Every structure is written in structure tokens, then in C-alpha cells.
Amino acid sequence: MILSGKEIKRRIGREIIIEPFDESRLNPNSYNLTLHNELLVYEDPVLDMKRKNGTRLLSIPEEGLLLEPHRLYLGRTCEYTKTEGFVPMLEGRSSTGRLGLFIHVTAGFGDVGFAGCWTLEIFCVQPVMIYPHVEICQIYYHDIQGDYEPYASGKYQGNREIQPSRMYLDFETKR
């Protein structure tokens, strides 16, 4: 079951935290999240799962930033979210998708108990201008059945910054 917008609103401040919350961004069954004014790009043309890959910070000016195809940009939501008892899911808005702009490669699925700003894996099929604080994606919530352990990994939990891949930590713990 997916929560309705009215149910999301009823649960704000309890099982669902969205900070800041703006009721005008509430949809029939989701809530629109906005793009922060910074992006990260990887510096190396070849990325290695076993090491921390270098990144460079880009600022999105008010007049916009042109994104190039065949390049991965990491962004983040302005909003901090926290969810207890529901599975948070993230998708691009249809208006964003109709511009050929994707906001996640594979990580649109959150874990019960996740708390933090969402890192967005942004890429485009043709050049597109983006702007800070635009409503770029939407969060929605599934219920969960059965006992569960809330997300507690230190890898991404509680973040308020853009998070590049930390997969290299998985290799370090397997040694």
C-alpha cells in the first residue's frame, strides 16, 4: 500500500519527518522534494569500486547550470527526511523525466529508518539547464509488513551533504 498525500500529512512530525515541510508540495500520493544548489562530479574518467574516488564540487547558480549528457552528477535534496514504519521511495517528477533528466540510477529505494538528505544520481539524455531549489523529485511511502530492523548503517545514515559512493568500505570490512 502507498500512503495518500492526506495520510503523509497526518503522519508528518511522527513517523514521517520532512524538514522543511511545505504543504503546497504535497501531492495526492507523494511529496515533492527540491534540489540543493551544489553538485559533485567524479574527477576520474574510470571509477574503481575498491577505492574512494575523487570528486569536485560544482555550484548551481540562480541563472542555472547546463548539464551535459554522458556525465554523472551527484546532487542532494534540500530536505532532510526520516521515516519510521514505512519504506520511503524516490522518483523523478514526470515533468523532470519529460526533459530527459533522470534523478536516480538505481537508488530510488530507501530503507525503513533512513534519516538524512537524499543523494540524487543525476544524468540527462541531452543537454539540460537545471536550477537550484527546483522541485525535482518526489518521495512516497509504502507500508511494511512483518518485523524489521530499521536502517542503521553508518555509511549514509544522518547525512546532510552529497554522498559519493562508499562501496570501497564494503571491501575494507571483508578483509
Side-chain angles (χ1 to χ4, degrees), residues 100-132:
L101 186 63
F102 297 84
I103 59 94
H104 69 80
V105 177
T106 61
F109 186 83
D111 286 306
V112 174
F114 171 75
C117 296
W118 289 75
T119 294
L120 307 174
E121 303 134 350
I122 302 169
F123 71 97
C124 55
V125 297
Q126 66 188 62
V128 62
M129 290 290 289
I130 62 165
Y131 301 89

